[in-house]
Amino acid sequence: SAQVKPREEAALSGDYDSLTRRESLAVQLAERIGKDPHSVNSGFWNTLKEEFTDEELVEMTFAVPYLIGRSEERRVGKECRSR
């Protein structure tokens, strides 16, 4: 079975002090998009732009909702198969 690595555990638990600034901001972006997309406001976006290129931001803002959608699709598929 796959084991969760310490840095991944830190990201999952919200222990951002164990992460680099870029990692911390990327995790926060993913959380904000997943929980409340409106919280990705201009202030947070400006903070992201200090650390990431436009290309990186485009990739992250595409990848996060895509991966959330795929995860939800798998969850629903499992529920349907178990009926």
Side-chain angles (χ1 to χ4, degrees):
S1 73
Q3 292 186 355
V4 177
K5 297 176 184 172
R7 293 171 76 75
E8 293 167 340
E9 181 62 38
L12 293 170
S13 69
D15 179 15
Y16 303 133
D17 293 337
S18 300
L19 306 173
T20 66
R21 177 167 167 75
R22 286 172 57 91
E23 290 169 336
S24 173
L25 288 169
V27 170
Q28 290 177 59
L29 175 62
E31 288 177 343
R32 286 177 182 230
I33 289 174
K35 293 178 182 174
D36 179 14
H38 298 288
S39 70
V40 183
N41 55 31
S42 59
F44 184 65
W45 192 256
N46 289 334
T47 301
L48 291 170
K49 288 186 69 69
E50 292 172 6
E51 292 292 326
F52 298 101
T53 65
D54 288 342
E55 292 81 10
E56 290 171 321
L57 290 169
V58 167
E59 284 183 30
M60 287 190 294
T61 55
F62 171 80
V64 169
Y66 173 78
L67 293 171
I68 289 171
R70 293 289 300 169
S71 176
E72 190 64 13
E73 181 182 313
R74 284 191 298 274
R75 183 189 65 76
V76 170
K78 285 180 184 178
E79 285 181 11
C80 289
R81 286 189 299 275
S82 69
R83 291 182 181 171

